[in-house]
């Protein structure tokens, strides 16, 4: 192999990267994890102080430190020795906690989030714009959710914060009151417990709540009038609701079968029990829809339920009730129903269609065919409805085209949805 040619500048020991302006160097270092960015201080005297002015700090790859104590010591040292430059972003992933490891005692468990509150306060006092608080915990069985270790109960105060991401935390008291964060636009919460009376923000435009547990005793209100994008994935507890409509463009709602909001007295139709603890919303909840009422401005809407057995599926009951009582969806153009449409009585869907005058496309996604399809045998021409004028396509998606899929299409025909706009699509398993 011929010898490699070394550039003249390199041969003379010149550092062209180090000769770049500080702002450009800091921009380059902002793409590195914090421990790699700090290591550049050993390159030369020129590089020694550069990391102290970093505006983006990402404390990641926590496991490489060998212990939570070492990881915390490093993060604290970086925050102590850096200068007073404002922060654009602070991301920290706590050291991993294995909930079933018998070798992990209580002190080691607490060490993982020992300084989390201080790091959050440091970020807020340094005008952080993007804050990600990612608590890492796990169980041996993947079907179980991670164990939240960090509890937040006080509201954040920052006029600069624009994006907030939380993972595996317990949110209580007034922690979700963002009235003191007037610039907040994006809020993302994952694998957390949300035990608050309200999530409120006048500025929030994007909200993502994924794989979260709400309280079984509190009905959480979402007060975000300027919300344009919503992903709401509720695994258990009581369903949050919108007391008034928001300016949504896109909404994706996914409910687990363990949602508590189901009236056992009347199958969520008309509850006459004033003391019923399993209804949701306000005192006149028996006459109003609560979830869909707040989404009535949406242009694109997806409703999904993890299917089991309809008679036991509380989430399906919630959608069924709300679709019968929903307001006019005057902006809705696309509707996706995932996993529950076949299990529910179709009259709820038909009722909904009459409240969506400009709807163009419906997608009915049938996830698996391992359940019994209960269709009304009484469908007749007398039950046909006036379809939305703009409706061009009803797409039925399934893993396998079988007899009960064709039977489902026959029922749609009986309601007046003609075969020329129905398209059956077989999905890959």
């Amino acid at each position: 192999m011929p010898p490699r040619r070394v550039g003249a500048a390199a041969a003379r020991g010149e550092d062209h990267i180090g000769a770049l302006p500080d702002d450009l160097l800091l921009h380059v270092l902002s793409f590195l994890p914090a421990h790699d960015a700090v290591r550049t201080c050993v390159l030369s005297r020129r590089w020694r102080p550069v990391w102290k002015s970093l505006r983006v700090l990402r404390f990641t790859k926590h496991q490489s430190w060998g212990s939570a104590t070492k990881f915390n010591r490093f993060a604290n040292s970086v925050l102590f020795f850096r200068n007073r430059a404002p922060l654009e972003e602070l991301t920290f992933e706590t050291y991993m906690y294995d909930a079933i490891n018998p070798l992990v005692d209580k002190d080691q468990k607490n060490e993982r989030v020992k300084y989390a509150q201080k790091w959050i306060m440091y970020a807020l006092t340094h005008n952080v714009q993007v804050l990600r608080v990612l608590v890492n915990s796990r169980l041996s069985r993947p079907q179980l959710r991670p164990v939240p270790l960090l509890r937040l109960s006080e509201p954040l105060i920052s006029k600069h914060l624009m994006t907030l991401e939380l993972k595996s935390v317990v949110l209580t008291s007034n922690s979700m009151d963002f009235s003191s964060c007037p610039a907040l636009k994006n809020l993302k919460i994952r694998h957390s417990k949300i035990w608050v009376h309200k999530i409120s923000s006048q500025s929030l435009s994007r909200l993502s709540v994924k794989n979260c547990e709400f309280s079984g005793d509190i009905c959480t209100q979402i007060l975000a009038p300027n919300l344009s994008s919503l992903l709401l994935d509720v695994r258990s507890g009581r369903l949050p609701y919108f007391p008034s409509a928001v300016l949504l463009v896109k909404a994706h709602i996914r409910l687990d079968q363990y949602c508590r909001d189901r009236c056992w007295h009347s199958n969520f139709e008309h509850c006459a029990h004033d003391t019923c603890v399993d209804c949701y919303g306000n005192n006149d909840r028996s006459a109003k829809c609560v979830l869909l009422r707040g989404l009535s401005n949406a242009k694109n809407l997806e409703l999904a339920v993890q299917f089991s057995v309809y008679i036991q599926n509380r989430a399906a009951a919630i959608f069924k009730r709300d679709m019968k009582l929903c307001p006019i969806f005057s902006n809705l153009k696309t509707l996706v129903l995932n996993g529950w449409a076949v299990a529910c009585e179709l009259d709820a869907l038909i009722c909904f269609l009459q409240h969506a005058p400009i709807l163009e496309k419906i997608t009915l996604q049938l996830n698996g065919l391992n359940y019994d399809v209960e269709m009304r045998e009484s469908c007749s021409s007398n039950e046909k409805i006036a379809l939305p004028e703009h409706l061009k396509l009803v797409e039925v998606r399934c893993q396998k085209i079988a007899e009960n899929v064709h039977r489902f299409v026959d029922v749609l025909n009986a309601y007046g949805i003609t075969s020329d706009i129905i398209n059956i699509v077989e999905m890959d398993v």
Side-chain angles (χ1 to χ4, degrees):
M1 179 180 295
R4 295 177 57 188
R5 292 187 177 183
V6 180
R12 293 193 299 269
E14 296 179 7
D15 179 11
H16 285 299
I17 297 180
L20 295 173
D22 283 358
D23 288 345
L24 191 52
L25 286 180
L26 292 172
H27 179 71
V28 173
L29 294 184
S30 69
F31 293 98
L32 299 176
H35 60 278
D36 286 335
V38 172
R39 285 173 180 168
T40 60
C41 69
V42 302
L43 295 178
S44 69
R45 183 176 298 178
R46 165 72 176 90
W47 283 90
R48 191 172 301 168
V50 173
W51 70 269
K52 295 182 180 181
S53 298
L54 279 172
R55 293 173 177 263
V56 176
L57 289 174
R58 299 188 181 99
F59 295 103
T60 57
K61 298 185 178 180
H62 40 82
Q63 295 303 103
S64 63
W65 291 94
S67 72
T69 301
K70 292 180 180 179
F71 174 78
N72 290 343
R73 186 183 299 126
F74 168 73
N76 286 332
S77 297
V78 171
L79 297 181
F80 181 81
F81 286 108
R82 74 180 295 272
N83 62 30
R84 296 180 177 272
L87 278 173
E88 295 177 6
E89 177 185 335
L90 174 63
T91 296
F92 66 85
E93 294 183 86
T94 64
Y95 197 80
M96 182 67 73
Y97 168 62
D98 192 337
I100 68 162
N101 189 343
L103 300 178
V104 177
D105 59 23
K106 184 177 180 180
D107 291 338
Q108 290 175 313
K109 171 183 174 182
N110 293 336
E111 181 70 22
R112 285 149 174 77
V113 294
K114 183 177 181 179
Y115 300 100
Q117 298 275 10
K118 292 183 178 180
W119 296 340
I120 293 173
M121 290 305 301
Y122 180 93
L124 297 179
T125 56
H126 285 75
N127 301 337
V128 71
Q129 299 175 32
V130 178
L131 176 60
R132 296 187 175 94
V133 181
L134 310 177
V135 178
N136 288 297
S137 62
R138 65 188 174 195
L139 297 175
S140 62
R141 289 181 291 173
Q143 67 269 27
L144 297 178
R145 290 186 292 275
V147 178
L149 302 177
L150 176 64
R151 181 181 292 265
L152 302 178
S153 58
E154 298 298 324
L156 302 183
I157 300 175
S158 172
K159 64 180 180 180
H160 302 280
L161 185 64
M162 300 178 66
T163 297
L164 175 64
E165 182 176 346
L166 304 171
K167 175 189 173 186
S168 293
V169 299
V170 180
L171 301 165
T172 63
S173 190
N174 297 319
S175 57
M176 291 288 96
D177 180 359
F178 296 104
S179 57
S180 297
C181 297
L184 185 66
K185 297 294 184 182
N186 306 301
L187 175 60
K188 185 175 182 179
I189 308 173
R190 294 184 285 152
H191 305 295
S192 298
K193 295 182 178 181
I194 304 176
W195 297 344
V196 299
H197 287 280
K198 63 180 180 179
I199 301 174
S200 62
S201 172
Q202 293 294 315
S203 59
L204 193 65
S205 61
R206 298 177 63 87
L207 173 61
S208 174
V209 179
K210 190 172 182 180
N211 196 14
C212 287
E213 171 188 332
F214 283 81
S215 170
D217 301 315
I218 300 173
C219 291
T220 301
Q221 298 184 52
I222 299 179
L223 304 170
N226 293 303
L227 197 64
S228 61
S229 176
L230 172 68
L231 189 157
L232 183 60
D233 180 2
V234 181
R235 292 307 174 100
S236 62
R238 307 197 70 175
L239 182 68
Y241 71 99
F242 296 84
S244 59
V246 291
L247 301 176
L248 278 174
V249 175
K250 183 178 181 180
H252 180 170
I253 313 296
R254 183 190 184 280
L255 306 182
D256 194 276
Q257 58 184 341
Y258 300 110
C259 290
R260 181 176 174 179
D261 297 295
R262 181 185 189 277
C263 177
W264 293 101
H265 297 295
S266 59
N267 199 26
F268 238 117
E269 292 293 344
H270 298 287
C271 179
H273 295 257
D274 293 335
T275 60
C276 179
V277 297
D278 287 319
C279 285
Y280 72 119
N282 44 35
N283 292 331
D284 57 347
R285 53 188 171 262
S286 61
K288 290 184 179 180
C289 80
V290 177
L291 176 63
L292 294 184
R293 179 178 61 180
L295 310 180
S296 59
N297 289 322
K299 294 182 180 179
N300 307 289
L301 180 62
E302 180 171 350
L303 307 177
V305 165
Q306 180 178 331
F307 182 81
S308 59
V309 179
Y310 170 61
I311 196 65
Q312 298 176 350
N313 197 312
R314 304 180 185 185
I318 294 170
F319 281 146
K320 172 188 172 183
R321 177 186 183 275
D322 266 18
M323 291 182 81
K324 287 185 175 181
L325 297 171
C326 69
I328 300 297
F329 280 72
S330 56
N331 299 320
L332 190 65
K333 291 190 175 182
T334 65
L335 172 67
V336 178
L337 302 179
N338 190 336
W340 74 279
V342 174
C344 290
E345 296 177 14
L346 274 174
D347 57 347
L349 170 60
I350 299 304
C351 181
F352 182 87
L353 295 184
Q354 297 177 77
H355 292 77
I358 66 170
L359 188 64
E360 297 178 356
K361 180 181 178 180
I362 306 172
T363 299
L364 305 174
Q365 189 159 313
L366 317 182
N367 293 337
L369 295 171
N370 57 346
Y371 45 78
D372 185 25
V373 181
E374 297 293 340
M375 296 298 176
R376 287 188 170 188
E377 298 294 341
S378 60
C379 295
S380 66
S381 59
N382 293 332
E383 294 177 313
K384 291 184 179 180
I385 64 168
L387 296 175
E389 293 181 354
H390 298 77
L391 187 61
K392 300 176 183 178
L393 177 63
V394 177
E395 187 173 83
V396 180
R397 301 177 66 85
C398 55
Q399 293 180 357
K400 182 179 179 181
I401 299 176
E403 180 181 355
N404 50 358
V405 175
H406 291 291
R407 187 181 177 198
F408 178 60
V409 172
D410 290 340
V411 175
L412 294 179
N413 293 156
Y415 275 110
I417 302 177
T418 57
S419 297
D420 60 318
I421 64 170
I422 298 177
N423 182 30
I424 301 177
V425 178
E426 185 171 345
M427 301 180 296
D428 295 333
V429 179

